[in-house]
Amino acid sequence: MQVSDHDWVQPVPPPLPPGAATPPLPPAAPPQYGTPQYGPPSPAHAPIGAGPQGWTPPPRPGLLPLRPMGFGTLLWAPFRTLRRNPAPVFGTGLVVQLASAIASAALFVPLFVWIFGRIENADAADLDAILSGAVGWVVLLSIVPIAVSLVAGAFLQGVMVVEVASGTLGERLTFGALWRRAAARIWPLIGWTLLVGVVVGAVFALVVGGVVAVAILFPDPATVVVVVLLALAILLGLAVLGAWLGTKLALVPSAIVLERAGITTAMRRSWSLTNGSFWRTFGLILLVGLILSAAAQVVVQPVSFLGTILAMIIDPTAGDTYLGISIATTVATLVLSVLIGAITSVVQAALIAVIYIDLRMRTEGLDLELERHVEARESGLPVADPYLPPQAGASAATWS
């Protein structure tokens, strides 16, 4: 009968006689399958830090992931900008809003006080002349707050572009650093904002002026109605055209600041980057605008409504108490409007910079350049500005 390995039992030696010495044990037999042999460890399993180059830590996470982003990431990234570095970001938006509000109040409050005083003390014969002069002064002085808003808005665009670009690299800049970098490109930004304002204002004035001229030349009511309807159709078509051009040229501020381009070059860059991504860019800008508008209405309108209801309940006769509550409600509404306006302007400006970086990642591989920049910076190597176009990167100054 054949005995298998599992049936084999080691024989038991017979017992030794009393007093006999224990015989030595036989040498251990080698294992059945031989002695295991272990070679040197594979380089893939070497301990971290081994090797001539050592171990480099991964890049620190920044504002944006260093890869092309999905729609949801793009949608909420501008709001993360405000949360990640709130003091300089929200502070800049607040300064911009206050600059426009203070400029308007400083000019128009004394003007209206003077106008109303003149109207109260004027004769009926002088009333028309006073009103005409008041309208002229209002139109003339409106240039000052418009100019302040123009400069402030351009500066805010530059600040937010710098904040998003530096935040993507894991940097957290202070007020001074943000403002210095944005101020270096303020004149092209003002020129671009002024160009947009002039074009929009000229088109609107041309349409409205045409309607008024036709109404004066042809006072027939039927003609006026036809002209008004035609003007509305033209304005609707111009709105569609403006939405298309605004989307195609939305990235101009980012190109001006980050690529240090002139206005014409920045327009060409924005046009080329948005090729094939028009609807995505338009949808993001529209959706964020609707979200911010709805949020502003939800915050501001209940305060105004509750203040009015409270004044009517406490003082139905519209006396001094009613006036005091109305003034307090108006002040609270204005304060909330300024705060909400600061948040809105910051988020909308940040969105443009986020879209710009994402489109460059998709079309030019900017994400790889940013990764190399961060790794070199963490290793202590000199780094150049990673946002300059490839042809300008060789002679770029150090990113600072």
Side-chain angles (χ1 to χ4, degrees), residues 279-296:
W279 289 110
R280 195 165 184 263
T281 303
F282 174 76
L284 281 167
I285 296 174
L286 178 62
L287 185 56
V288 170
L290 292 176
I291 291 173
L292 294 173
S293 177

Side-chain angles (χ1 to χ4, degrees), residues 260 383-385 388-399:
R260 305 172 196 175
V383 292
D385 189 341
L388 288 178
Q391 61 271 18
S395 58
T398 301
W399 176 262

Side-chain angles (χ1 to χ4, degrees), residues 146 150 190-204:
I146 290 175
L150 184 72
I190 292 176
W192 167 247
T193 308
L194 180 62
L195 177 62
V196 173
V198 168
V199 171
V200 173
V203 171
F204 183 78

Side-chain angles (χ1 to χ4, degrees), residues 20 37 43 47 105 118 151 160 170 212 231 237 239 253 317 350 359 375:
Q37 301 293 326
R118 289 287 306 275
V151 175
M160 293 313 304
V212 173
T317 60
L359 290 180
E375 291 172 356

